[in-house]
Amino acid sequence: MKLKLLGVLLLMGALILGATAPVWSAEEQKQEESTAAGQQAVNMIQDAVVCQDVVERTPVGSGDVFAKETSKVYCFCRVVGVEGESSVTHNWYYKGTLKTSVKLPVRSNNWRTWSAKTMSPDWAGEWMVEILSADGTPLESIIFFIQ
């Protein structure tokens, strides 16, 4: 009888402790891990422009409208706030269709980088460059036109 009573008491204690212990759903744990990872990968884009050239790590001829005779357009950006090495991706879209994707290394917490797209006179119209973090989070987008 004493053993049975002891078993019941132990079972009740376990149920009480279980009811007061924190319960994490898989979704809550996944969300917390995602937040922690996102905080480590936080980066910010500054000085993002499209331009006609990059000289000595400085954009030249920035704007949002370029002549259809322009042979090459550059997307320049400065990435700040990255710890360690990372990357950004420049996705170049023409009239909503992805034309090219360029992954660029980021090797310090204040890193200037750029990509370039060779243009054709036939590609007049709206363009967009979307800048993504290493984990694919959109950071910035720049719309420009070839006329």
Side-chain angles (χ1 to χ4, degrees):
M1 184 71 165
K2 286 183 182 181
L3 273 176
K4 191 172 189 180
L5 182 59
L6 181 62
V8 169
L9 290 173
L10 285 174
L11 181 59
M12 287 176 58
L15 290 172
I16 291 169
L17 285 175
T20 60
V23 178
W24 291 74
S25 71
E27 185 61 34
E28 288 171 324
Q29 186 172 356
K30 188 177 180 181
Q31 184 176 9
E32 185 165 296
E33 289 170 1
S34 173
T35 301
Q39 288 172 346
Q40 293 171 0
V42 168
N43 47 23
M44 229 169 53
I45 301 298
Q46 293 185 353
D47 308 325
V49 296
V50 288
C51 57
Q52 294 177 350
D53 202 357
V54 177
V55 177
E56 295 181 16
R57 290 181 259 167
T58 303
V60 175
S62 64
D64 55 5
V65 178
F66 299 93
K68 67 179 180 178
E69 294 80 25
T70 303
S71 62
K72 194 178 276 193
V73 175
Y74 295 78
C75 177
F76 173 93
C77 65
R78 187 163 56 100
V79 184
V80 297
V82 174
E83 292 184 23
E85 290 196 22
S86 188
S87 65
V88 293
T89 299
H90 288 179
N91 285 336
W92 292 77
Y93 292 90
Y94 173 59
K95 295 184 178 179
T97 301
L98 181 65
K99 284 297 201 179
T100 192
S101 185
V102 182
K103 186 175 180 179
L104 303 162
V106 176
R107 296 193 175 113
S108 77
N109 66 356
N110 189 1
W111 188 261
R112 292 174 286 184
T113 190
W114 58 92
S115 65
K117 178 74 182 112
T118 302
M119 295 294 175
S120 166
D122 298 336
W123 291 344
E126 182 181 88
W127 282 82
M128 181 180 76
V129 180
E130 180 181 44
I131 304 171
L132 307 174
S133 68
D135 67 1
T137 302
L139 300 172
E140 183 87 26
S141 57
I142 305 167
I143 295 173
F144 67 98
F145 297 88
I146 301 292
Q147 295 182 342

